[in-house]
Amino acid sequence: MAAALSMTCGICQAQLRSVEDAQEHAELTGHTDFAESIEPVLNLVCRTCGKPCRTKTECDLHTKRTGHEMFDDKTNETAKPISLTAKAEDGTSEVQGMSSASEDVELVDPEVNKQMLQELEDMGFPQARAVRALYFSGSSSVEAAINWVVEHENDPDIDEIPQVPATQDILQHNYTPEEAKAKMLELRERARKKKEEEEKRMEKEREKERIRIGKELLEAKRIEEENERKRLILLRKAEKEEEQRARDKIRQKLEEDKAERRRKLGLPPEETPKVQSSPPTVEVKKSFLPVRPASKAEQMRECLRGLKQNHKDEDARVKKAFQTLLTYVGNIARSPDEEKFRKIRISNPTFQERVGSLKGGIQFLEICGFQKDSDDFLILPRDKVDVSVLSSAGSELNSAIVNPYFGVL
């Protein structure tokens, strides 16, 4: 005959690992009908936190509370034959004392906790189902009774009030008021300690997760800053190369004008030393940095550069347009609540002469946030005023005014 691997309660069908567990179950519930079983108690261990679960329902509840879904079945590893020789203090076999009940006894309805019964009925459970759940769960808590209903909802007798031997019902409720109160306090204290331990363990897991996420965010920020630094280095290098090409072009133009004047005066061409050509431009390797959209400052710079190149023979007019745009931007930055600074009539002759008639002038204002309306006005709404954008616009305009090589190429 195969060795017993567990004890099964004949009343609530709970599986217990040892005689000691059966004794504790009997003390908590009053159930005294136990039998040997060759079926081991389930041992499903959560892969994430290591919590053991004895039933599929416990696994489901654990998943709902924590989100952990992966479990390892270690039932066969922990299963071992149980000893049935545990003795009570009086020397009698404890298992024999719990093994069976007489068949010729009076059957009565079980007594359950009235307050818990009322709570279950208020939740919508039928009375018979609520009584059955409280009795078989030992009336330990409403939650335990609900869990029992979930596990046995497909039982054919789920809505029948169980009948128990009168002697068993008396034994189950033979505590004095003081003993019952002490027992309840003991159970509550045990549940409170277990809950505190679970909360501490979960808090440690949450703290580990917070630390991990924090490290990932810091690393992502570092990579982003490094990419931005490399992008700025490449941008500054390109600007320097552009300035160098502008200087070379101006120098060449001066040499050509000088040679033309000597020719008109009938002078022989001047022997000029060979101008050392500028070193070849080193091709910049393509960066594998992520492509980013042009910033507002870059859009403004390109707009101003285009404006100057479109009117390269009108330096004084272009400079006046830059100064006028700088005045508009400065007035709004200093007094953003003044509506007169945020509203420009497009058909105004002065505006047209200085800015509107130049290709790129109105586009620059639109980059700063101005919008055209149906009444021939450019308007910058108060909620669209961005001080950082206006500051960038002022910097770009000032650079375009003071840099003699700006937009030459």
Side-chain angles (χ1 to χ4, degrees):
M1 181 177 177
L5 299 177
S6 65
M7 299 287 293
T8 302
C9 177
I11 298 175
C12 64
Q13 307 303 316
Q15 276 192 302
L16 307 160
R17 285 197 177 96
S18 63
V19 173
E20 289 76 10
D21 288 350
Q23 292 172 348
E24 183 178 359
H25 182 76
E27 291 176 0
L28 294 175
T29 64
H31 302 170
T32 56
D33 185 8
F34 294 88
E36 304 172 24
S37 174
I38 60 173
E39 293 293 331
V41 178
L42 279 178
N43 186 18
L44 305 176
V45 180
C46 178
R47 291 185 183 178
T48 305
C49 62
K51 175 179 172 56
C53 298
R54 295 189 178 187
T55 64
K56 293 292 184 182
T57 301
E58 285 188 28
C59 292
D60 294 340
L61 292 173
H62 181 69
T63 300
K64 289 180 180 179
R65 286 195 302 266
T66 65
H68 303 165
E69 298 180 351
M70 304 301 293
F71 295 86
D72 292 325
D73 190 348
K74 297 187 178 182
T75 303
N76 294 331
E77 298 178 14
T78 57
K80 58 183 180 178
I82 61 174
S83 173
L84 302 178
T85 59
K87 299 293 182 179
E89 294 181 357
D90 59 358
T92 60
S93 172
E94 190 71 17
V95 177
Q96 292 175 355
M98 298 185 295
S99 61
S100 61
S102 173
E103 297 180 355
D104 300 327
V105 293
E106 180 184 0
L107 298 178
V108 296
D109 293 343
E111 289 289 332
V112 296
N113 187 291
K114 302 297 183 183
Q115 183 178 356
M116 294 182 184
L117 177 62
Q118 184 62 45
E119 290 183 21
L120 289 173
E121 290 181 351
D122 292 341
M123 294 180 187
F125 290 98
Q127 181 183 14
R129 183 174 299 196
V131 171
R132 194 175 190 86
L134 286 171
Y135 175 72
F136 287 129
S137 64
S139 293
S140 56
S141 67
V142 173
E143 182 181 1
I146 295 174
N147 291 340
W148 187 93
V149 171
V150 172
E151 292 179 0
H152 298 82
E153 59 182 355
N154 294 324
D155 292 355
D157 57 349
I158 185 67
D159 289 320
E160 297 179 6
I161 297 180
Q163 298 293 301
V164 298
T167 54
Q168 177 179 309
D169 193 59
I170 293 173
L171 288 173
Q172 185 174 350
H173 301 86
N174 61 353
Y175 295 117
T176 64
E178 293 77 10
E179 290 174 338
K181 183 177 181 181
K183 191 69 175 178
M184 182 175 294
L185 292 175
E186 178 187 350
L187 293 175
R188 288 180 178 174
E189 181 66 17
R190 188 185 305 175
R192 184 186 64 79
K193 289 182 178 179
K194 185 176 181 181
K195 184 178 181 181
E196 287 179 355
E197 292 175 357
E198 181 69 14
E199 288 178 350
K200 289 180 180 178
R201 185 186 61 76
M202 292 301 299
E203 182 60 31
K204 289 181 180 179
E205 292 294 330
R206 286 192 291 268
E207 183 63 24
K208 289 180 181 179
E209 185 67 13
R210 283 195 293 268
I211 293 173
R212 182 186 67 80
I213 293 175
K215 289 181 178 179
E216 290 181 356
L217 290 176
L218 288 176
E219 180 64 15
K221 184 178 180 181
R222 185 192 67 78
I223 293 174
E224 177 67 17
E225 291 175 350
E226 180 68 15
N227 290 343
E228 180 66 14
R229 186 181 66 82
K230 292 179 180 178
R231 189 183 70 85
L232 291 175
I233 290 174
L234 292 175
L235 182 61
R236 289 169 185 166
K237 185 176 181 180
E239 289 177 349
K240 289 181 179 179
E241 291 175 353
E242 181 183 1
E243 290 180 3
Q244 183 62 41
R245 289 195 298 270
R247 291 191 186 99
D248 292 343
K249 185 175 181 180
I250 293 173
R251 189 182 297 112
Q252 181 182 358
K253 180 66 175 174
L254 292 174
E255 292 294 335
E256 291 175 354
D257 291 344
K258 185 177 181 181
E260 180 65 19
R261 287 195 300 271
R262 290 182 67 88
R263 186 184 65 77
K264 289 180 179 180
L265 294 172
L267 299 176
E270 184 181 12
E271 293 184 2
T272 56
K274 293 183 179 180
V275 180
Q276 185 178 0
S277 60
S278 59
T281 304
V282 179
E283 181 181 357
V284 180
K285 293 183 179 180
K286 291 184 178 180
S287 173
F288 292 96
L289 300 177
V291 178
R292 297 182 55 181
S295 65
K296 287 282 188 180
E298 292 170 345
Q299 295 177 26
M300 294 173 185
R301 191 179 308 120
E302 288 301 319
C303 181
L304 295 177
R305 185 179 288 114
L307 190 151
K308 186 166 185 178
Q309 290 179 351
N310 290 331
H311 306 276
K312 57 186 177 182
D313 297 329
E314 302 175 275
D315 290 343
R317 190 179 177 196
V318 169
K319 186 173 182 179
K320 193 171 186 179
F322 288 171
Q323 291 171 341
T324 303
L325 290 171
L326 184 59
T327 301
Y328 287 148
V329 171
N331 287 339
I332 297 173
R334 287 188 293 272
S335 304
D337 294 325
E338 287 289 341
E339 184 179 0
K340 64 181 181 179
F341 293 145
R342 296 185 282 104
K343 189 172 183 179
I344 303 172
R345 183 185 292 276
I346 298 176
S347 59
N348 184 287
T350 304
F351 173 77
Q352 280 295 323
E353 178 187 355
R354 297 184 179 184
V355 177
S357 60
L358 276 68
K359 185 177 180 181
I362 294 179
Q363 180 186 355
F364 183 86
L365 292 172
E366 289 176 339
I367 295 175
C368 294
F370 279 87
Q371 302 172 359
K372 292 181 180 179
D373 68 355
S374 58
D375 297 330
D376 195 34
F377 279 97
L378 282 172
I379 297 177
L380 177 58
R382 180 62 183 88
D383 58 348
K384 299 293 184 180
V385 175
D386 190 330
V387 177
S388 61
V389 173
L390 296 176
S391 177
S392 298
S395 299
E396 296 300 329
L397 286 166
N398 187 62
S399 176
I401 293 171
V402 301
N403 184 1
Y405 305 110
F406 181 82
V408 172
L409 293 181

